[in-house]
Amino acid sequence: LLRITLNSLGFLVALSWDKAFDSAEETVVHFVYHTLLFQHLVIIKVVLAALLAGFVLPAWMRYIVPAGMKTRDDHLKEVKAQRERGQHFASGDTGHLHGGEDDVETSGSVGTGSDSE
């Protein structure tokens, strides 16, 4: 039930971001159209998309793609190393990664909140 609720909330957030980007895009396109008197809406949208891709793709390639290429074992090793260095999650030690039966413990008392810090 929790997973379904979280997935539903994630979907609603995605829809909100989609609406926000659509509104922002329309605002920029109409500003350029009326202010700069550039009469080609399609060209304005293509240039805006290219600019957005120019900003987003490098960050995606640098941060998201390498994280997505990691195996579960690589990720767990990184989490364990961060815990050993004292770099915990902002909201405290969550204790697990996915919340299912296949959760792998990364330290002695994971998930109990009794880790010695």
Side-chain angles (χ1 to χ4, degrees), residues 46-90:
V46 168
V47 168
L48 184 61
L51 288 173
L52 181 62
F55 282 108
V56 172
L57 284 178
W60 179 72
M61 291 293 293
R62 184 171 180 177
Y63 299 106
I64 305 298
V65 171
M69 299 297 287
K70 288 181 186 175
T71 65
R72 181 178 171 92
D73 291 335
D74 291 339
H75 181 72
L76 291 174
K77 287 177 189 175
E78 185 175 318
V79 168
K80 186 175 182 178
Q82 287 176 352
R83 286 183 178 161
E84 288 172 356
R85 290 192 307 261
Q87 297 175 344
H88 295 281
F89 297 102

Side-chain angles (χ1 to χ4, degrees), residues 88-100:
H88 295 281
F89 297 102
S91 62
D93 190 10
T94 62
H96 62 278
L97 299 174
H98 299 289

Side-chain angles (χ1 to χ4, degrees), residues 18-69:
D18 180 54
K19 182 69 173 169
F21 270 93
D22 282 343
S23 297
E25 183 238 356
E26 285 298 318
T27 302
V28 170
V29 167
H30 286 290
F31 173 78
V32 171
Y33 181 78
H34 293 295
T35 305
L36 301 178
L37 299 175
F38 191 75
Q39 301 297 317
H40 301 286
L41 291 176
V42 173
I43 293 174
I44 296 170
K45 288 184 178 188
V46 168
V47 168
L48 184 61
L51 288 173
L52 181 62
F55 282 108
V56 172
L57 284 178
W60 179 72
M61 291 293 293
R62 184 171 180 177
Y63 299 106
I64 305 298
V65 171
M69 299 297 287

